[in-house]
Amino acid sequence: SAPADEREAQCARLGSLSGGPVRGLVVTRSAWIEAGSRVATREGQSDPLPAHCLIEGHFAEHEGRIGGPYAIGFRMRLPGAWNGRFLFQGGGGSNGVVGDATGPNGPGNPLALVRGYAVIAQDSGHDNTRNTLPSHQNELVFGFDPEARADYGHASLPQTNALAHYLMESFYGRDSATNLYWGCSKGGQEGMAFAQRYPDAFDGIVAMAPGMSLPRAALAEAWDTQAVASVLTARGEPVTVAGLKSAFSPAQLQLVADTALAVCDKDDGLADGVIAAVGQCTAQRVVPVLRRHQCTPGASGSAACLEPAQIAALERMMAGPHDSAGKPLYASWSWDIGLAAPGWAIWKTGLVDGPPALNVLLGGGSLAAVFTAPPTALGPDPESRLKWMLGFDFDRDAARIYAVTAPYTTSPWQDVGMRSSDLSRFRGQGGKLIVPHGASDPVFSVMDTLAWWREVDAANGGHAQDFARVFPVPGMNHCSGGPATGQFDSLTALEHWVIDHRAPDQIPAKAGPDTPFPGRSMPLCPYPKIAVGTREGASVHYQCALPPTRKSV
């Protein structure tokens, strides 16, 4: 590689770049960062970073109908010691924040930048500090602008990707040899957008806990909020954002998780404290046993019992949203031990000593502003979001996620939904797709992801595993957390598949210190296989196989 002073000069020259493959490129910073620097990430301070060129800026500015001007912000890090590979870092939530461009890829794993990748991150076309209006859900105002909504859904992605290759060629004098993508949640949705809409962009994609059905999942957030509210109503308590936190005590949710475990632990052939046969633990099996724990008349809910309204609410939530004719509007949910984890309750009810329900804060605001047409302005107060969600009519309003209303020329589902089972172009160019998903994800149902994979498999004559594999993670919540073997390296698995042509027949995984089984090793298995355990003395040995109750796919 070039000497450091030469790299520094090359980096400085990037500051005067304009033009290229995007409209209105503005570089606001180009700086050579010496080795050893650290940056703040979602998981705390990063590991020391290698020497690299940092370039920041924006492009494709437009005025917008409200809340503008909008632009696509980006950050890219180009390491001096480059491995010739490029990684696109996915976003999260409603985006609006430019990612750190270090390439995080799961707890405990080396950052992509540390591995030698050039990394880009972007904000998907709006800035939470600049594009915000209290009268329009603050930073969700972008949902009221057609171009900004489309940029959020997918349109910013190919532009940012093209810019990344332009910057690599400008800095290194050559393009990347291998192109990978890693993202979770909204970042998973973005990975699906690349695979489905822009299939030539990447050799391999990790789309973890993918929000591929985001507008439908937002319907489920309103559905669940109404179910949780029904518990308070049954008690004669007012329904408030703060009140939702008390709908279920942690001990009661633990009772629910313990009941699911008692019913379904042996589905994988071994009682080991894990429901490994993800998707087979059904309400038909669990709810009758839950009813045995119903509080006797006059007894208030406690750790030892569940109120009738609580059981009814859980049954309603886990079945997923549907209209009055029984037509499903999203997906059901997997009964799993992670239902007792804070990472589940923080979305559904909120935490007594923590944040209010994210289903209301994020879900209500997003459903109104971004995922329904026409969008609805609710103001900044969380109570206004809750009130709107409680009034949501699933017969009348659910179809609004598919509506096209002026000035939009596409529906929210067309802009943001990325659930197509047609991956023929991605498969045709040799792309590989890995989809890890927590069984206790409270935002995006693993059942939706499994159903999607079965559709992809059917479309590919039973050979979807040749290019796409889903890895359910028993016990895991949204992207991480929960009583799970949730520490695993999906980026290395993708590298082996793309570069070494070694398909991931399993992904080694370990349980963290905050689980009931710290240090346990159990592989993640490509669906429909699961981790089947056999006892060998005091230890358990796992291998990936079809569930004992299933003889074939």
Side-chain angles (χ1 to χ4, degrees), residues 145-172:
D145 180 68
E147 185 175 338
R149 191 182 76 182
D151 279 344
Y152 169 75
H154 65 89
S156 65
L157 299 173
Q159 299 175 68
T160 304
N161 189 54
L163 175 62
H165 290 283
Y166 175 66
L167 294 176
M168 285 186 286
E169 289 178 339
S170 300
F171 185 67
Y172 297 117

Side-chain angles (χ1 to χ4, degrees), residues 393-404:
D393 184 309
F394 292 89
D395 288 337
R396 180 191 67 218
D397 299 326
R400 288 172 56 194
I401 69 174
Y402 306 108
V404 179

